[in-house]
Amino acid sequence: MRQRPFLALVALVVGAAVVIASPGAAADSGLDPEALRRAAELRDSAHAGSGAYELLRSLTVEAAPRFAGTPGDRAGVEWGLATMRRLGFDEVRAEPVTVPRWVRGDEAGWILDPSLRSVVLAALGGSVGTPDPDLTAEVVAVVDLDELEALPAAAVAGKIVFFTRRMERTREGSGYRPTARARGAGPSAAAAKGAVGMLMRSAGTSTNRIAHTGATRYEEDVPRIPAAALSHPDADVLEARLAMGDPVRFRLRLTSRYLAAAPSANVIGEVRGRERPDEVVLLGCHLDSWDLGEGAQDDGAGCAIVIEAARRIGQLPVRPRRTVRVVLFANEEFGLSGARAYGAAHAADIGNHAIGAESDLGSGRVWQVSSKVASEALPVVDAIATVLAPLGIERGDNEARGGADLRPMRAAGMPVLSLRQDATKYFDVHHTVNDTLAQVDREELDQNVAAYVAAAYLAAEAAADFGPLPPEAGP
Ligand SMILES: [Zn+2]
C-alpha cells in the first residue's frame, strides 16, 4: 500500500499542467482532470463488485450482535483491528471508550381483557425491570406526547400509557423521528402524570410480528417506569380491544437491569495522505449494534462500506493529498459514548479534520449528496456530485448535519458531507431481530462503496479547504 514517490511526482506535474491549460468547472474546484478521472475509475470499479459484502459477512459471523459492553462488542473491536490490519491500512489502533452496560433479560407481555393474549414486545433500551413478578395495570392509549400532555393526571395515574402513533414509510426516513420521540421521552412524560408503565407501537415499518427496540431516556426527577414496544400486529389488537370500550388490563414482565460500566473502544484505521498527512478526511460508522439481530444493516453495513472505500484508496499508485481516516465508533445506540470520547480525545486537533462523512442507514442506495462546508468549497462538492451522478445520485443543499457520531465534531466546526441513502426498506429491520445479513443486497452495498470511495478520494485530493465552520452552540 506504500505510494511510489516517482509516480506521485509525475502525477503532480501532469495535474498542475492540466489545471493551467483547462480552466472551467474542474479548475473552480481546484481538482485537476486526472483526479476526476481517477475518482470515476474508483467509482466504477467498486460499483462493478466490491469486497464490502464479504466484510459484512465476516463481521456478522464473527461478532454479532455487538451491544455495548458485551462480549460481542469486544469481538467487534477485535474484528475491526484485525480486519483493517489484514487489509493493509497504514495505521490501525483502538482508542478506549467506557460504555454503559444494560442487560435486556427476559421480556413478555399479555393483554388480559376480554381474553388472554400473549404479545411480542421488546424492552426499550435502558428500561428498568418490572416489579416481581409482573406489572399489571389498565391501559390508557394516546397517539403521541402531545396527546398525553393534554390528559389530566387523573386519567393516567396508576395506568400503563400506550403510545399508538404509526411510523410512516418514506425514502427519507422522515417518519422515524416523530415516532421515536415517544420512545425517548415517553416513559418519563407518562411517569410525571403517575403512570406505572409505558408501551408503544414499534417505531418501525414492518408489519411482521417483531418488535423494535431503541434507547429511552429517563428524566432525573420522576420515577423510572418499565417501558416496551409492541409488534405492529399486537399493537393493532390492543388498540382494537381498547376501542371496544371496556377497560383493558395488560401484564408486563421485564427482568432488564444495569451492570457496571464496561470497556469498549473506537477502532481507527488510516490511509496516509501523500502531501498533507495530518489533515484528515473522516469516514465514520458505528461498530456497536442493538442486542437483537446481527446489526447487519445497523450499522455493520456502514462499517463495511467505509472500510472497503478506504481500502480501495489505499491501493492507488498515488495517494490523495490528505489522510483518509476510518473511525468505527463505539456505542452509538446506547448513548453516543464513542462519539463523545472521540470528540474529547481530539478536541485539540478538530481543526485538522478537513471534512467528515458517516454511513449509518444500512445498505439502501445513496440518492443524494449534501454538504455543510464553507461557501468557497462548494465547487469541490459540485465536482463530487458530478462524479457521483452516474450512480443515480443528485446534488442536495449545504445544510447537511452529518451522522449522529459526527455531532461533537460537527459542533466544533468540522465540515461534513452527507451521502443520503434510500430508507424505504430500512425501518423494516432496524433495531429488530430481523436485522440480519439476509436483508442486505450486495449490489446496493456496492453502490454505496462506489459513492464513498469517489467522494472520499476527491475530498482528500482537493487542494481547497472545506472549512473552518463556526462552532455551533449547544451540544
Ligand atoms: Zn445506527
Side-chain angles (χ1 to χ4, degrees):
M1 298 247 309
R2 225 164 251 290
Q3 59 174 291
R4 284 174 274 178
F6 173 72
L7 279 181
L9 185 64
V10 169
L12 271 175
V13 170
V14 170
V18 173
V19 169
I20 291 162
S22 61
D28 287 347
S29 70
L31 287 159
D32 62 67
E34 173 61 18
L36 295 169
R37 189 190 60 74
R38 192 171 286 136
E41 274 177 15
L42 285 166
R43 174 198 68 206
D44 292 341
S45 65
H47 199 200
S50 85
Y53 190 87
E54 293 311 321
L55 286 175
L56 183 54
R57 185 203 299 276
S58 78
L59 176 63
T60 54
V61 169
E62 294 168 34
R66 300 172 300 282
F67 188 54
T70 63
D73 182 25
R74 285 189 283 282
V77 169
E78 291 308 316
W79 178 91
L81 291 169
T83 297
M84 289 196 281
R85 284 180 182 136
R86 174 172 61 79
L87 295 178
F89 279 67
D90 298 313
E91 195 194 327
V92 179
R93 65 181 187 273
E95 294 185 352
V97 180
T98 300
V99 298
R101 177 84 177 92
W102 175 81
V103 180
R104 176 172 302 278
D106 300 322
E107 51 195 14
W110 300 266
I111 303 171
L112 301 181
D113 302 306
S115 60
L116 185 75
R117 173 187 167 106
S118 172
V119 302
V120 171
L121 55 73
L124 301 188
S127 174
V128 296
T130 49
D132 190 21
D134 299 322
L135 169 72
T136 301
E138 192 183 323
V139 176
V140 55
V142 295
V143 173
D144 54 18
L145 289 163
D146 292 339
E147 197 172 313
L148 173 67
E149 208 45 58
L151 279 186
V156 176
K159 294 182 180 167
I160 294 173
V161 170
F162 170 37
F163 292 94
T164 62
R165 184 179 174 120
R166 187 185 289 269
M167 181 181 163
E168 191 189 347
R169 182 190 296 276
T170 68
R171 178 181 68 166
E172 291 75 12
S174 52
Y176 182 61
R177 220 169 267 278
T179 312
R181 233 160 57 86
R183 190 187 72 214
S188 285
K193 294 198 175 228
V196 293
M198 179 273 203
L199 294 172
M200 66 181 291
R201 179 184 284 278
S202 280
T205 47
S206 174
T207 53
N208 287 319
R209 214 170 172 200
I210 56 176
H212 177 279
T213 191
T216 192
R217 294 183 310 276
Y218 290 120
E219 301 294 333
E220 286 301 329
D221 47 354
V222 289
R224 299 181 166 215
I225 61 173
L230 301 180
S231 80
H232 279 273
D234 291 299
D236 290 342
V237 166
L238 182 53
E239 275 196 69
R241 288 191 172 187
L242 287 162
M244 292 164 71
D246 290 330
V248 177
R249 291 167 306 143
F250 191 91
R251 180 183 299 158
L252 181 61
R253 180 181 298 164
L254 305 180
T255 65
S256 47
R257 64 199 185 280
Y258 277 87
L259 302 178
S264 185
N266 292 327
V267 182
I268 295 175
E270 289 187 347
V271 171
R272 302 290 282 173
R274 71 168 191 274
E275 202 177 289
R276 302 188 207 162
D278 293 338
E279 292 185 20
V280 168
V281 172
L282 191 164
L283 299 185
C285 67
H286 67 85
L287 190 52
D288 67 304
S289 74
W290 276 103
D291 53 341
L292 310 172
E294 296 170 357
Q297 290 280 19
D298 187 13
D299 182 25
C303 292
I305 289 163
V306 296
I307 291 172
E308 175 66 1
R311 180 190 75 82
R312 285 170 170 265
I313 292 171
Q315 287 187 329
L316 289 172
V318 181
R319 292 287 180 81
R321 286 190 168 83
R322 298 185 176 94
T323 290
V324 176
R325 176 183 292 173
V326 169
V327 183
L328 316 179
F329 287 96
N331 188 33
E332 185 269 349
E333 299 291 1
F334 197 47
L336 285 172
S337 317
R340 290 181 216 278
Y342 186 94
H346 294 272
D349 60 87
I350 285 296
N352 293 342
H353 289 62
I355 196 163
E358 178 170 25
S359 175
D360 184 17
L361 205 72
S363 61
R365 302 176 71 83
V366 178
W367 63 274
Q368 188 187 64
V369 55
S370 58
S371 59
K372 184 72 178 178
V373 301
S375 55
E376 309 83 72
L378 285 172
V380 179
V381 182
D382 291 340
I384 291 172
T386 303
V387 173
L388 300 191
L391 296 170
I393 298 171
E394 64 186 49
R395 177 78 164 92
D397 60 19
N398 195 38
E399 298 300 325
R401 307 289 307 162
D405 289 300
L406 302 185
R407 229 176 273 158
M409 288 68 82
R410 171 68 209 88
M414 182 179 78
V416 293
L417 266 190
S418 179
L419 301 182
R420 296 186 68 188
Q421 293 171 265
D422 188 326
T424 307
K425 296 178 294 181
Y426 181 65
F427 291 97
D428 286 342
V429 304
H430 176 254
H431 294 192
T432 76
V433 292
N434 239 1
D435 183 359
T436 63
L437 184 66
Q439 304 295 327
V440 176
D441 181 290
R442 188 189 286 265
E443 194 277 329
E444 288 181 353
L445 202 61
D446 288 341
Q447 190 259 9
N448 276 267
V449 177
Y452 269 88
V453 70
Y457 171 77
L458 290 172
E461 177 61 18
D465 290 327
F466 294 95
L469 300 175
E472 291 180 339

